[in-house]
Amino acid sequence: MSWIPCSGNSSSKAKIKKKKKTQLQENPVDQIKVTSGILKTKSSLSAKEASNNGGPDHIAAQTFPFRELAAATRNFRPECLLGEGGFGRVYKGRLESTNQVVAIKQLDRNGLQGNREFLVEVLMLSLLHHPNLVNLTGYCADGDQRLLVYEYMPLGSLEDHLHDISPGKKRLDWSTRMKIAAGAAKGLEYLHDKANPPVIYRDLKCSNILLGEGYHPKLSDFGLAKLGPVGDNTHVSTRVMGTYGYCAPEYAMTGQLTLKSDVYSFGVVLLEIITGRKAIDCTKATAEQNLVAWARPLFKDRSKFSQMADPVLQGQYPPRGLYQALAVAAMCVQEQPNMRPVIADVVTALNYLASQKCDPDTQPVQNSRFAPGTPRAKRDSEKKAQRW
């Protein structure tokens, strides 16, 4: 599912010209240039790096000639194609100079994203480094060619493992799902709490969570990222961009972007991880096409929580873990942004859920324990005391 502008287009040339001028002023690249490298992190950038100008001349990523990337992908042959999105096509390649396997994303000159998103992604991934953010190896800006070179993520995207799963592909068990959710939340926490000023990701979705060995998740595709509010500001105003089904309602209606907008998107992703359903699925009945709209009534009836679990799990999950994961998702997708948790609290909750052992082969759901070593009487009383 590619990202789309969620606002309408004006037919007036004057309005378009004015809108383009406004969008240019809002461009994160321009913000980074104006602030002379103000984007830095508390944990990963040295003082020298933090003092560098944030413009393209100071990008630390390696530059590649187009010829080298064409050779790496055997002239972008179809058999090297990994996927396609709003930016363009992504190919698997091998760099001749280092023999490194990489993923090469080529800008579609007629596509949705352009030079602005290309520059934002290069700048963001050159300045921000975390185990749960994809590593940028380099880029190519040769003539009119625009390409990005990333580390290769062998297991593809989270979307590949949740939706339209090919026959024979291993299904994600509960423990793996919680580890992926916790890792993705850590990446978002880094952007919100470690980057200074904070970074609003703005395009969190399953297809942008890539998986490495051991299903280690990393956030990718930073072309829509924005520098967040600083000082007394509560939000940044921008044109509405994102993917339908993931955009926070207040952002879609007003264009006011906050860190809580990302939290809402994460809640949608967490619901997908739990339920196996897509954020938007037009093949389902009208009332079930929007995942959040389908889930909200069920959140109010605890007896229906088990109906929300992905059928692929075949009941192999800890009931208490399911309830707690759904509680986190429900809080994240609250309509009022001030009712949503900060991402650091989401990380704490998901780290706990990811640490719980759930071996589907030796511990089926009917024998699972709520907490190791907890007496049955105490567990029963705790269960009765819990309320939604």
Side-chain angles (χ1 to χ4, degrees):
M1 185 187 298
S2 60
W3 62 266
I4 57 173
C6 299
S7 56
N9 294 323
S10 171
S11 59
S12 166
K13 292 183 179 180
K15 287 183 178 180
I16 292 174
K17 186 175 181 181
K18 183 178 180 182
K19 185 177 181 182
K20 285 184 177 179
K21 183 178 180 181
T22 302
Q23 291 171 0
L24 180 62
Q25 292 170 346
E26 294 172 351
N27 185 1
V29 175
D30 295 329
Q31 293 181 30
I32 294 174
K33 288 180 181 178
V34 168
T35 53
S36 299
I38 194 172
L39 176 62
K40 56 186 179 292
T41 63
K42 300 169 184 175
S43 60
S44 65
L45 291 185
S46 66
K48 180 180 179 181
E49 289 172 320
S51 65
N52 280 343
N53 185 287
D57 292 340
H58 294 83
I59 295 171
Q62 181 180 354
T63 57
F64 291 94
F66 177 73
R67 182 180 301 176
E68 182 176 354
L69 300 185
T73 58
R74 294 184 290 172
N75 288 320
F76 305 98
R77 288 188 180 179
E79 54 265 34
C80 296
L81 184 66
L82 293 174
E84 190 169 1
F87 185 100
R89 294 180 175 179
V90 183
Y91 297 85
K92 182 179 179 181
R94 184 182 295 273
L95 301 175
E96 292 181 353
S97 57
T98 61
N99 203 37
Q100 179 185 0
V101 177
V102 293
I104 299 173
K105 186 159 66 171
Q106 184 178 35
L107 172 66
D108 179 359
R109 282 166 285 183
N110 298 316
L112 294 171
Q113 288 179 303
N115 277 329
R116 177 187 303 161
E117 287 77 16
F118 172 83
L119 287 170
V120 170
E121 182 141 17
V122 172
L123 288 168
M124 290 293 181
L125 289 180
S126 296
L127 293 166
L128 303 173
H129 303 280
H130 186 268
N132 294 110
L133 301 185
V134 71
N135 292 321
L136 180 71
T137 303
Y139 67 99
C140 170
D142 219 347
D144 61 353
Q145 294 288 344
R146 298 289 181 269
L147 300 98
L148 294 163
V149 184
Y150 306 94
E151 63 175 318
Y152 175 63
M153 301 293 282
L155 298 184
S157 73
L158 174 58
E159 183 179 51
D160 298 333
H161 296 267
L162 283 180
H163 311 310
D164 304 321
I165 306 172
S166 57
K169 178 174 283 190
K170 181 183 176 182
R171 268 52 173 176
L172 296 177
D173 60 37
W174 178 260
S175 295
T176 302
R177 293 176 193 232
M178 291 301 100
K179 289 175 183 176
I180 292 172
K186 289 175 188 175
L188 201 57
E189 180 189 29
Y190 172 81
L191 297 177
H192 287 188
D193 296 345
K194 301 297 183 184
N196 183 20
V199 173
I200 303 175
Y201 185 29
R202 202 161 57 141
D203 201 20
L204 184 60
K205 55 186 177 181
C206 287
S207 60
N208 281 346
I209 299 174
L210 302 183
L211 302 175
E213 295 291 347
Y215 295 95
H216 181 79
K218 296 192 178 189
L219 305 184
S220 70
D221 203 341
F222 284 75
L224 296 185
K226 290 277 292 185
L227 298 184
V230 294
D232 295 331
N233 296 321
T234 59
H235 64 272
V236 292
S237 295
T238 177
R239 57 176 176 161
V240 180
M241 299 294 291
T243 304
Y244 184 57
Y246 294 91
C247 283
E250 75 283 352
Y251 170 51
M253 289 187 291
T254 68
Q256 294 184 353
L257 190 66
T258 70
L259 299 177
K260 294 296 183 73
S261 305
D262 275 349
V263 173
Y264 181 93
S265 300
F266 182 83
V268 179
V269 170
L270 183 55
L271 271 179
E272 289 188 84
I273 291 173
I274 296 168
T275 66
R277 289 172 171 252
K278 297 179 181 179
I280 298 293
D281 190 346
C282 295
T283 66
K284 294 188 177 295
T286 303
E288 298 186 12
Q289 290 181 2
N290 184 296
L291 177 57
V292 174
W294 167 80
R296 279 204 171 113
L298 300 177
F299 285 147
K300 301 174 183 178
D301 187 350
R302 186 165 177 165
S303 67
K304 295 182 179 178
F305 282 7
S306 60
Q307 298 176 22
M308 301 178 72
D310 190 345
V312 167
L313 292 169
Q314 298 181 334
Q316 303 296 316
Y317 55 82
R320 190 178 185 185
L322 172 66
Y323 302 160
Q324 291 171 335
L326 285 171
V328 174
M331 288 187 290
C332 289
V333 296
Q334 293 270 11
E335 289 192 4
Q336 297 300 321
N338 62 333
M339 298 296 290
R340 298 171 203 153
V342 295
I343 195 62
D345 290 341
V346 174
V347 169
T348 300
L350 291 176
N351 276 343
Y352 171 77
L353 292 176
S355 69
Q356 302 304 295
K357 302 298 181 182
C358 178
D359 188 339
D361 295 324
T362 62
Q363 194 179 48
V365 64
Q366 59 266 29
N367 293 329
S368 65
R369 296 182 177 181
F370 292 117
T374 305
R376 177 181 295 275
K378 185 177 180 180
R379 293 202 308 271
D380 291 343
S381 64
E382 287 177 345
K383 185 176 180 181
K384 291 177 181 178
Q386 289 177 342
R387 292 292 183 271
W388 181 249

